Amino acid sequence: INSSHCRLDAYVIRAVPAGDDYEARRFSTWAPMAIASIGKLAATIADRSIMIAMERKAPGQPVARMRADRDDGFGVLASKAARWVADHFEALRQADPEMPAALNDRQADNWRGLIGIADLCGGDWPARARAAALALSAIDEDADTIGVQLLASVRLAFGAARQIST
Protein backbone atom coordinates (compact mmCIF):
# COMPACT_ATOMS: atom_id res chain seq x y z
CA ILE A 1 0.00 0.00 0.00
CA ASN A 2 2.78 2.41 0.90
CA SER A 3 5.56 1.47 -1.52
CA SER A 4 5.48 4.71 -3.52
CA HIS A 5 3.22 7.34 -4.97
CA CYS A 6 5.11 7.25 -8.28
CA ARG A 7 4.77 4.41 -10.77
CA LEU A 8 8.53 4.31 -11.46
CA ASP A 9 9.43 3.91 -7.77
CA ALA A 10 6.65 1.53 -6.71
CA TYR A 11 8.27 -1.89 -6.77
CA VAL A 12 9.66 -4.69 -4.63
CA ILE A 13 12.53 -7.05 -5.33
CA ARG A 14 11.78 -10.74 -4.76
CA ALA A 15 13.80 -13.91 -5.21
CA VAL A 16 12.19 -16.17 -7.79
CA PRO A 17 13.18 -19.67 -8.92
CA ALA A 18 15.52 -19.74 -11.92
CA GLY A 19 16.49 -23.28 -12.80
CA ASP A 20 18.25 -24.80 -9.81
CA ASP A 21 18.85 -21.40 -8.23
CA TYR A 22 17.07 -18.13 -7.51
CA GLU A 23 17.36 -14.72 -9.11
CA ALA A 24 16.24 -11.28 -8.01
CA ARG A 25 13.30 -9.95 -9.96
CA ARG A 26 11.58 -6.58 -9.76
CA PHE A 27 7.77 -6.53 -9.37
CA SER A 28 5.61 -3.45 -9.72
CA THR A 29 3.40 -2.62 -6.75
CA TRP A 30 1.83 0.45 -8.35
CA ALA A 31 -1.94 0.26 -8.68
CA PRO A 32 -5.06 2.22 -7.86
CA MET A 33 -6.76 0.96 -4.70
CA ALA A 34 -9.98 1.42 -2.80
CA ILE A 35 -9.58 1.24 0.96
CA ALA A 36 -12.47 1.39 3.40
CA SER A 37 -11.63 2.23 6.97
CA ILE A 38 -13.22 3.01 10.27
CA GLY A 39 -11.06 5.63 11.89
CA LYS A 40 -8.11 7.48 10.43
CA LEU A 41 -5.66 6.15 7.89
CA ALA A 42 -1.93 6.48 8.46
CA ALA A 43 -0.81 9.94 7.33
CA THR A 44 1.42 8.54 4.57
CA ILE A 45 -1.54 6.66 3.09
CA ALA A 46 -4.08 9.45 3.60
CA ASP A 47 -1.74 11.90 1.84
CA ARG A 48 -1.72 9.63 -1.21
CA SER A 49 -5.49 9.24 -1.22
CA ILE A 50 -8.67 10.82 -2.42
CA MET A 51 -10.79 10.66 0.70
CA ILE A 52 -14.53 10.12 0.34
CA ALA A 53 -16.29 10.28 3.69
CA MET A 54 -19.17 7.89 4.02
CA GLU A 55 -22.29 8.58 6.04
CA ARG A 56 -24.95 6.34 7.47
CA LYS A 57 -28.25 6.53 5.67
CA ALA A 58 -30.92 8.56 7.37
CA PRO A 59 -33.79 6.69 9.01
CA GLY A 60 -36.42 5.98 6.37
CA GLN A 61 -34.08 6.87 3.49
CA PRO A 62 -34.61 4.36 0.67
CA VAL A 63 -31.58 2.52 -0.68
CA ALA A 64 -31.17 -0.15 -3.33
CA ARG A 65 -29.92 -3.37 -1.78
CA MET A 66 -26.80 -4.95 -3.23
CA ARG A 67 -25.97 -8.58 -2.70
CA ALA A 68 -22.39 -9.80 -2.82
CA ASP A 69 -23.47 -13.13 -4.35
CA ARG A 70 -25.07 -11.50 -7.41
CA ASP A 71 -23.48 -9.68 -10.33
CA ASP A 72 -26.33 -7.16 -10.83
CA GLY A 73 -24.81 -6.07 -14.15
CA PHE A 74 -21.42 -5.07 -12.77
CA GLY A 75 -19.67 -7.67 -14.95
CA VAL A 76 -20.97 -5.95 -18.08
CA LEU A 77 -19.96 -2.55 -16.70
CA ALA A 78 -16.46 -3.87 -15.87
CA SER A 79 -16.11 -5.27 -19.40
CA LYS A 80 -17.15 -1.95 -20.95
CA ALA A 81 -14.70 -0.03 -18.74
CA ALA A 82 -11.86 -2.41 -19.62
CA ARG A 83 -12.64 -2.07 -23.34
CA TRP A 84 -12.76 1.74 -23.11
CA VAL A 85 -9.37 1.80 -21.38
CA ALA A 86 -7.90 -0.57 -23.97
CA ASP A 87 -9.22 1.62 -26.80
CA HIS A 88 -7.80 4.80 -25.21
CA PHE A 89 -4.72 3.42 -23.47
CA GLU A 90 -2.10 5.49 -25.27
CA ALA A 91 -4.05 8.74 -24.88
CA LEU A 92 -4.48 8.02 -21.16
CA ARG A 93 -0.80 7.19 -20.76
CA GLN A 94 0.20 10.47 -22.41
CA ALA A 95 -2.40 12.59 -20.58
CA ASP A 96 -1.05 15.61 -18.71
CA PRO A 97 -4.20 17.50 -17.75
CA GLU A 98 -4.28 21.05 -16.45
CA MET A 99 -4.78 20.76 -12.70
CA PRO A 100 -6.72 23.19 -10.48
CA ALA A 101 -4.29 25.68 -8.95
CA ALA A 102 -5.85 25.26 -5.49
CA LEU A 103 -4.55 21.69 -5.23
CA ASN A 104 -1.13 21.15 -3.70
CA ASP A 105 1.41 19.00 -5.56
CA ARG A 106 0.43 15.70 -3.90
CA GLN A 107 -3.29 16.33 -4.36
CA ALA A 108 -2.71 17.12 -8.04
CA ASP A 109 -0.79 13.83 -8.35
CA ASN A 110 -3.72 12.01 -6.73
CA TRP A 111 -6.24 13.49 -9.17
CA ARG A 112 -4.16 13.52 -12.38
CA GLY A 113 -5.40 10.14 -13.67
CA LEU A 114 -9.07 10.80 -12.99
CA ILE A 115 -8.97 14.28 -14.49
CA GLY A 116 -7.12 12.87 -17.50
CA ILE A 117 -9.97 10.37 -17.99
CA ALA A 118 -12.55 13.15 -17.63
CA ASP A 119 -10.74 15.32 -20.19
CA LEU A 120 -10.67 12.44 -22.65
CA CYS A 121 -14.41 11.83 -22.13
CA GLY A 122 -15.19 15.49 -22.86
CA GLY A 123 -18.60 17.06 -22.41
CA ASP A 124 -19.16 18.33 -18.89
CA TRP A 125 -16.88 15.67 -17.35
CA PRO A 126 -13.73 17.85 -17.22
CA ALA A 127 -15.52 20.56 -15.22
CA ARG A 128 -17.23 18.01 -12.99
CA ALA A 129 -13.96 16.21 -12.23
CA ARG A 130 -12.17 19.42 -11.34
CA ALA A 131 -15.09 20.53 -9.14
CA ALA A 132 -14.95 17.16 -7.36
CA ALA A 133 -11.19 17.51 -6.89
CA LEU A 134 -11.62 20.91 -5.31
CA ALA A 135 -14.55 19.83 -3.14
CA LEU A 136 -12.82 16.69 -1.86
CA SER A 137 -9.18 17.72 -1.70
CA ALA A 138 -8.49 21.44 -1.79
CA ILE A 139 -7.12 22.75 1.46
CA ASP A 140 -6.60 26.28 2.63
CA GLU A 141 -2.81 26.55 2.70
CA ASP A 142 -3.10 29.64 4.92
CA ALA A 143 -5.22 27.90 7.54
CA ASP A 144 -3.23 26.97 10.63
CA THR A 145 -3.18 23.32 11.59
CA ILE A 146 -4.02 22.33 15.15
CA GLY A 147 -0.29 21.94 15.81
CA VAL A 148 0.47 25.46 14.59
CA GLN A 149 -2.43 26.82 16.66
CA LEU A 150 -1.10 25.03 19.77
CA LEU A 151 2.41 26.42 19.28
CA ALA A 152 1.01 29.92 18.80
CA SER A 153 -0.94 29.57 22.05
CA VAL A 154 2.15 28.35 23.91
CA ARG A 155 4.16 31.27 22.55
CA LEU A 156 1.40 33.67 23.56
CA ALA A 157 1.24 32.18 27.07
CA PHE A 158 5.00 32.26 27.62
CA GLY A 159 5.26 35.71 26.08
CA ALA A 160 2.60 36.97 28.49
CA ALA A 161 4.39 35.30 31.45
CA ARG A 162 7.71 36.89 30.49
CA GLN A 163 6.09 40.34 30.30
CA ILE A 164 4.53 39.86 33.75
CA SER A 165 7.83 38.80 35.37
CA THR A 166 9.84 41.77 34.04
Side-chain angles (χ1 to χ4, degrees):
I1 290 176
N2 200 15
S3 61
S4 179
H5 195 246
C6 176
R7 182 188 301 256
L8 297 176
D9 298 330
Y11 64 88
V12 294
I13 305 292
R14 295 289 184 256
V16 296
D20 293 336
D21 202 3
Y22 286 85
E23 68 182 20
R25 188 172 301 162
R26 180 177 159 152
F27 293 90
S28 174
T29 58
W30 193 91
M33 296 180 203
I35 302 171
S37 174
I38 296 174
K40 290 189 169 198
L41 292 173
T44 54
I45 296 171
D47 191 42
R48 293 168 170 83
S49 301
I50 296 171
M51 306 292 277
I52 301 172
M54 297 182 69
E55 298 177 1
R56 291 190 181 274
K57 75 174 187 74
Q61 180 180 10
V63 295
R65 299 275 182 199
M66 293 179 58
R67 290 188 41 177
D69 62 336
R70 295 188 184 159
D71 179 88
D72 290 334
F74 289 112
V76 171
L77 182 61
S79 291
K80 288 180 177 183
R83 173 62 191 264
W84 187 89
V85 169
D87 290 348
H88 298 90
F89 183 77
E90 191 57 34
L92 291 169
R93 197 170 75 75
Q94 298 295 325
D96 188 17
E98 184 70 29
M99 303 304 294
L103 298 179
N104 67 33
D105 290 343
R106 181 57 59 90
Q107 292 165 337
D109 289 343
N110 293 342
W111 280 96
R112 191 170 316 285
L114 293 173
I115 290 178
I117 291 169
D119 284 354
L120 192 56
C121 289
D124 65 344
W125 287 109
R128 292 174 69 180
R130 286 169 176 82
L134 292 171
L136 292 172
S137 299
I139 59 171
D140 182 359
E141 296 288 346
D142 296 329
D144 289 339
T145 64
I146 191 71
V148 171
Q149 291 174 17
L150 176 62
L151 289 173
S153 296
V154 168
R155 185 177 79 191
L156 182 64
F158 280 103
R162 186 176 3 186
Q163 290 173 354
I164 293 171
S165 63
T166 41

